[in-house]
Amino acid sequence: MVTRVRELVGREVELARIEQFLDLTQGSARILLLEGEPGIGKTILWRAGRSAAISSGCRLLSAAPTEAESALPYAVVGDLLDGVAEDAFARLSPPLRIALEAALFRARSTHEPADQLAVSTAFLRTLRHLAADQPVLLAVDDLQWVDPPSLRVLNFAVRRLDREPVKVLAARRFASANDPASLFRTGLGDGQLQRVEVGPLALNDIDDLLLRRLQRPLRRPELDQVFAISGGNPFFALEIGRYILEHPSTIRAGEPLPLPRRLADAVSGRITKLPPATRDILVALVALAHSDEAILWQIDPNALAALDPALNAEVIERSEGRLRFTHPLLASVVYGMADATTRRRWHSRLAKVVHQPEDRARHLALSATGPDAATAQALEGAARSANARGAPDAAAVLAQQACDLTPADFPRDIERRQIMRAEYRLRAGDAAGARDLLNAVLVSSRRGNRPMDALRLIGSIMFASGDLDEAERLLVEALSQTGDDERGRALVERDLIHVLNQRGNHQAAFEHCLRLVEIANRCDDASLSGLAIRLKTVTERNVGIVSPEGRALAVAIAEGRASIAMEESLGGLHPLMDWAVFLKWSDDFARARVLCKRALALSEGRDESLRAPILFHLAELECWAGDWRLAAVYTDECEKSVIHTGQQASARLSLVAKAMLHCYQGELDAARSAALEALAIAAKVADEPYRWRALAILGATELAAGDPGHANQYFNELRRRRGQRREGLQGAIRSEGDEVETLLALGDVDGADAVCARLDADEQRFGDPWPRAIGARCRALVASSRGNFASSLPEFDLALAAHQQLPMPLERGRTLLAYGTVLRRAKRKRVARERVQEAADIFTSLGASAWIKRAKAEAGRIAPAPAGVSTLTPTEARVVALVVSGRSNKEVAAELSLSVKTVEANLSRIYDKLNLRSRSQLVARVASQR
């Protein structure tokens, strides 16, 4: 396997190509050439290839020349042979050894100057000697700087190698007029030279790289700018990212990001060679949001002619009828080299000819020399326009410019525009920046008369960050400042309902839902009515009220038969997620998944505080549904999203998801660690639902570890915190099955009976599959603990019937295992064996290691079955029927929704039971019995 180095991200395809190339059993390629622009990551991949070669047992001969060394003859050959022992040279004939040692300054030649052919031949024979002992990799970085004599030696040797296990891994910049790789192609057969173009990284990979290497995560708008300007080049992205962190005060709204000095110097040479008139008009091209040639001609009829030198120098190019810079860095350098007067002049001229309000306002702002009320007003209008078009990041820049250009004697306008700016930054994903702006507004306001919009927005931010006490306090204050603003009051009520539900205060949240309904009725506003119905439906479930109308509406929304107003709930759940969570807790996983994915798509590139809860709910849903690989993907994405929020308290989401996944997979130490960390954070921020989730996972983890006493401590705390009324989140905290097993293990049958009663009440109120299936299993376990098998076994049958509507395979496996255990105790061993084997099959297909062990232990307590087809479990019998009909293992797995590995395990058990050795014997046995 190709070794991953610390800096390497997003290069799975390139790594696979390198791995395939290094495998001597595959392909005939002799040379693999990594090509790309400077800084794109060729050297990192080249190093990974070197490490992989060493790990696989190759002899590594390596060289990494610099531009200065390209004038030193045989510098690269000397580097390649630097670590080779003297005895390798001793095998050469004296003339060849003398020529090579003289060329490399290993010995002083007493003869004529070394012959090129002799040096090349000596190098080739040395390679052959080394390759006779072990495979050899010649690794050369920056091929464009290889000195010409060394390049000729390499070319000579590579062309003459035949079956020797010698390969060349080289990296170079894209081909130029003087292409050193062209020498390799001469005389090589088809397929001997492979090329891998190392292109730009995707946004997610640049994000991963910056998270690893920078001291703090970039905010989402900063990340987007870095990606756009770097063009996906990892080196450029790191340099720009570091510059942003080190020079935050030099970044001015609306202008291109400044570049680090050494990066600007690397590309400025191409600009300084252009005529002054060309450099001048290039500033206008940078300033234009859309490089329209007609606008340039309108400003200056000579503009297009002045750009010809830039076209010829490939600084700019024509593409699809527009002019553009060949690399984003060139545009930034052009703008950075222009003085302030030149920039303002061009922005002033462009403001008179562009058509879109955002463009015109931006140019007005950048041409201004001081505050101006009219320009500020134009910028505010442009910000509203940009936000309405779905560009909150652009709106935030325009709002900032409006603030900067508002005269000081208009303080109310400044305050309003600062709040606008904060809202746009929040929509663009910069929650931390929005919070700082709003705090500044509140500090400058008079106590008791602080603006409602600022209080509401910062309250929502505090909610998303996990500071629920502060969020509730701010929103209650905002409610007191709404006055006659009914719509403003409705938005505050909306956010307060979310906060109260998250704090576990569902009754208070329900009372605010009723107030929201009254506001919607007074306003006769359809969107407010939809909002009120949604929040009231979700909160009703939390206080134990069934809403058939709400359930029907949720289903209709998921199926696309009803629409939902996409009002913004900044800092809270996406509007679709209330319905998604409602369906998820009602065991309608398929429709819940549809809404979650729709919400995730709609939140792409926006406020991370919206995305993190969506990703958590998707991770939890897939944990329940048994797709643990997908759950792991969502968990990782949730963790990354939490990092981007900049709020450590939000880590409770990803930690709970991680703990649940580890617990299900049987990784108990990791589950315990993550759940304890989540519990601490949830307790600190007073987030009751996540505290309950963490306690439930900790209890399940200790039960799986065989410590029911410790498990019951967590379950007791969970029951105490949720209260006797069990108010809130029915269907979310699915701990009842674990609680009953724990209590029975401790001999507390009455306590287990009480949990069963709670499940019975939930089934009566909500009618969901979870309380029906798990309630029946728990009643069966309680009855069996009292020795009442006549009551216990029918309850298990009811549980299995209910599992048909509950898409949670692990829970079905647990029910089968418990059923098998009780059947064994009831002396019904044949059926017991079948139930336990079915459970084991489920646990194996899931990869639930802790439960696999329990199933094996239970199977060991049951006497082995006598030989014969009739002793097979239902699953084994289905496998036999399909195999006898001619199906392959893969086809059997697909038809039975099992993994191929599980099918193979079933066949092994079948062969053992029937004393058979092969598939053909199995077919013959079944045919004879028929």
Side-chain angles (χ1 to χ4, degrees), residues 513-793:
C513 286
L514 298 179
R515 296 178 191 173
L516 184 57
V517 170
E518 294 173 0
I519 295 171
N521 291 337
R522 285 197 301 269
C523 294
D524 193 22
D525 185 318
S527 65
L528 281 182
S529 295
L531 169 66
I533 291 171
R534 170 164 56 86
L535 294 181
K536 181 171 175 287
T537 300
V538 173
T539 308
E540 279 176 338
R541 183 178 176 91
N542 289 334
V543 296
I545 300 174
V546 180
S547 176
E549 298 82 8
R551 188 188 297 261
L553 180 56
V555 170
I557 291 168
E559 293 178 351
R561 295 183 285 105
S563 60
I564 176 174
M566 288 297 162
E567 89 288 340
E568 300 290 347
S569 181
L570 297 175
L573 282 176
H574 187 281
L576 283 172
M577 286 304 295
D578 283 320
W579 293 119
V581 172
F582 178 86
L583 290 170
K584 174 182 159 189
W585 292 349
S586 303
D587 301 317
D588 193 343
F589 292 177
R591 293 189 180 97
R593 188 180 289 112
V594 167
L595 290 180
C596 285
K597 289 184 176 180
R598 195 184 304 170
L600 190 65
L602 290 171
S603 65
E604 180 67 37
R606 298 195 41 237
D607 184 1
E608 293 291 344
S609 65
L610 285 175
R611 290 178 61 78
I614 300 172
L615 290 162
F616 164 76
H617 280 290
L618 279 167
E620 184 179 59
L621 189 154
E622 299 304 344
C623 273
W624 290 352
D627 192 341
W628 294 348
R629 289 185 180 179
L630 185 55
V633 172
Y634 286 134
T635 299
D636 290 343
E637 288 300 310
C638 181
E639 186 172 23
K640 185 185 296 186
S641 189
V642 164
I643 291 172
H644 282 306
T645 66
Q647 305 291 345
Q648 290 298 318
S650 299
R652 67 196 188 280
L653 280 70
S654 56
L655 285 167
V656 165
K658 188 181 297 186
M660 177 181 296
L661 182 59
H662 285 314
C663 181
Y664 280 14
Q665 292 173 326
E667 298 164 353
L668 302 184
D669 288 340
R672 187 181 295 111
S673 176
L676 286 170
E677 191 175 350
L679 180 63
I681 295 174
K684 182 177 180 181
V685 300
D687 186 332
E688 284 302 306
Y690 279 90
R691 186 186 301 202
W692 300 343
R693 287 182 173 102
L695 287 168
I697 294 169
L698 285 166
T701 301
E702 298 305 335
L703 176 63
D707 189 351
H710 199 184
N712 202 42
Q713 292 177 17
Y714 290 118
F715 288 135
N716 272 334
E717 177 66 8
L718 174 62
R719 288 188 285 267
R720 185 185 71 79
R721 299 206 70 87
R722 296 186 75 179
Q724 295 301 316
R725 294 175 56 198
R726 263 180 47 82
E727 181 185 275
L729 305 188
Q730 273 77 8
I733 314 300
R734 304 194 165 196
S735 62
E736 291 88 355
D738 293 318
E739 289 183 60
V740 166
E741 288 190 31
T742 298
L743 291 165
L744 291 177
L746 296 173
D748 187 356
V749 181
D750 291 339
D753 245 343
V755 177
C756 291
R758 286 175 6 211
L759 282 168
D760 291 344
D762 282 351
E763 182 187 355
Q764 292 299 316
R765 280 186 294 180
F766 302 110
D768 297 331
W770 166 265
R772 187 161 58 251
I774 306 307
R777 182 176 85 200
C778 290
R779 290 193 299 272
L781 287 171
V782 170
S784 70
S785 71
R786 291 173 171 151
N788 188 352
F789 298 123
S791 297
S792 176
L793 299 181

